[in-house]
């Protein structure tokens, strides 16, 4: 296999000298959705924050499309093609849907309405709410907006931290299906940190189990349907 879209090798990082990631290694290919699962406190969100550059890489490397991005600033990583939807979504509640989308366009200095159209095609409900204040929408609609806002920046890799949080089950299913469609249509690699096993089973083509700051096991799609196995990995 040639160079992976995203290649993380022996990554170490943490907070104030305390190590959380202890040599984490994984790869993500084009058009692939990979879920990261594990008990609370194993370092999943720390991993996301290190990938996007909010936390410094202490050792190891992060390569995007063969280019080492471990030392560049978060905004440069975004322009290089790393899109991030944080836990809790972090949309701008006082801005309209359209204004939120335009914020996403600023990543691409050449961004155009064509990019906005592309993102809205995946989430038609947002088209009907362009002038609505984002804070007045349901959790599911806000999550769709958060994903669409990142998509307008034309990322190569999409990072999602707990996208099912606070969303009703029927919408979780719709978003999971949409992630698969986005990944295959745009050739995006999607990395998904998620506790909701329904979403993982519907969206992911494979799964990385984290423990103590590293990936300890890789699960195939078939193994994701093994309830006993999943309980063993996720039981607190």
């Amino acid at each position: 296999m040639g160079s992976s879209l995203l290649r993380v090798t022996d990554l170490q990082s943490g907070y104030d000298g305390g190590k959380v990631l202890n040599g984490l290694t994984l790869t993500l290919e084009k058009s692939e959705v990979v879920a990261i699962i594990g008990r609370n406190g194993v370092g999943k969100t720390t991993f996301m924050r290190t990938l996007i550059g909010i936390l410094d890489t202490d050792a190891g490397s992060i390569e995007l499309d063969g280019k080492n991005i471990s030392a560049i600033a978060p905004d440069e990583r975004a322009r290089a093609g790393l899109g991030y939807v944080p836990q809790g979504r972090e949309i701008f509640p006082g801005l309209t849907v359209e204004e939120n989308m335009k914020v996403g366009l600023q990543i691409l200095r050449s961004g155009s309405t064509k990019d906005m159209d592309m993102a809205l095609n995946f989430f038609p409900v947002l088209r009907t709410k362009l002038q609505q204040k984002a804070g007045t929408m349901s959790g599911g609609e806000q999550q769709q907006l958060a994903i669409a806002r990142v998509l307008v920046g034309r990322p190569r890799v999409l990072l999602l931290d707990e996208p099912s949080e606070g969303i009703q089950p029927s919408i979780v299913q719709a978003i999971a299906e949409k992630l698969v469609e986005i990944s295959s249509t745009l050739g995006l690699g999607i990395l998904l940190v998620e506790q909701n096993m329904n979403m993982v089973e519907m969206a992911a083509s494979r799964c990385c189990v984290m423990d103590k700051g590293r990936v300890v096991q890789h699960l195939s799609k078939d193994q994701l349907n093994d309830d006993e196995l999943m309980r063993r990995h996720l039981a607190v």
Side-chain angles (χ1 to χ4, degrees), residues 97-114:
V97 168
E98 184 171 21
E99 286 163 345
N100 267 278
M101 299 280 284
K102 284 182 171 160
V103 171
L105 273 179
Q106 287 167 10
I107 285 179
L108 288 179
R109 298 199 171 111
S110 60
S112 71
T113 51
K114 197 165 85 244

Side-chain angles (χ1 to χ4, degrees), residues 46-73:
T46 301
F47 176 44
M48 286 284 177
R49 292 167 69 88
T50 307
L51 281 179
I52 200 66
I54 299 167
L55 284 177
D56 288 341
T57 296
D58 296 333
S61 66
I62 303 164
E63 289 179 25
L64 180 63
D65 245 354
K67 178 187 171 199
N68 192 326
I69 61 167
S70 315
I72 66 176

Side-chain angles (χ1 to χ4, degrees), residues 97-98 125-133 137 141:
V97 168
E98 184 171 21
V125 67
L126 297 178
R127 270 194 200 281
T128 66
K129 297 175 182 280
L130 285 174
Q131 302 315 314
Q132 187 171 333
K133 291 260 198 299
M137 300 197 301
E141 289 164 347

Side-chain angles (χ1 to χ4, degrees), residues 69-95:
I69 61 167
S70 315
I72 66 176
D75 60 324
E76 291 179 67
R77 294 186 197 201
R79 279 196 290 278
L82 213 50
Y84 178 48
V85 181
Q87 192 171 4
R89 302 186 268 282
E90 291 183 15
I91 55 161
F92 299 105
L95 298 183

Side-chain angles (χ1 to χ4, degrees), residues 174-221:
I175 289 177
E177 289 167 357
K178 202 53 77 174
L179 291 177
V180 173
E181 184 190 337
I182 288 167
S183 175
S184 62
T185 307
L186 301 178
L188 277 190
I190 298 181
L191 208 51
L192 178 71
V193 164
E194 186 54 80
Q195 301 278 37
N196 183 322
M197 289 318 298
N198 287 334
M199 180 167 235
V200 169
E201 286 171 21
M202 285 185 285
S205 35
R206 62 186 172 92
C207 195
C208 298
V209 182
M210 267 186 81
D211 192 30
K212 297 189 178 76
R214 56 176 57 189
V215 173
V216 293
Q217 194 166 356
H218 297 271
L219 303 177
S220 67
K221 191 140 184 90

Side-chain angles (χ1 to χ4, degrees), residues 10-65:
D10 293 331
L11 191 64
Q12 296 182 30
S13 80
Y15 304 87
D16 300 325
K19 209 166 243 93
V20 179
L21 300 185
N22 295 299
L24 186 150
T25 294
L26 65 71
T27 57
L28 176 71
E29 308 301 332
K30 218 175 140 181
S31 305
E32 184 179 43
V33 182
V34 172
I36 297 173
I37 64 168
R39 299 175 183 86
N40 286 332
V42 298
K44 301 186 299 288
T45 292
T46 301
F47 176 44
M48 286 284 177
R49 292 167 69 88
T50 307
L51 281 179
I52 200 66
I54 299 167
L55 284 177
D56 288 341
T57 296
D58 296 333
S61 66
I62 303 164
E63 289 179 25
L64 180 63
D65 245 354

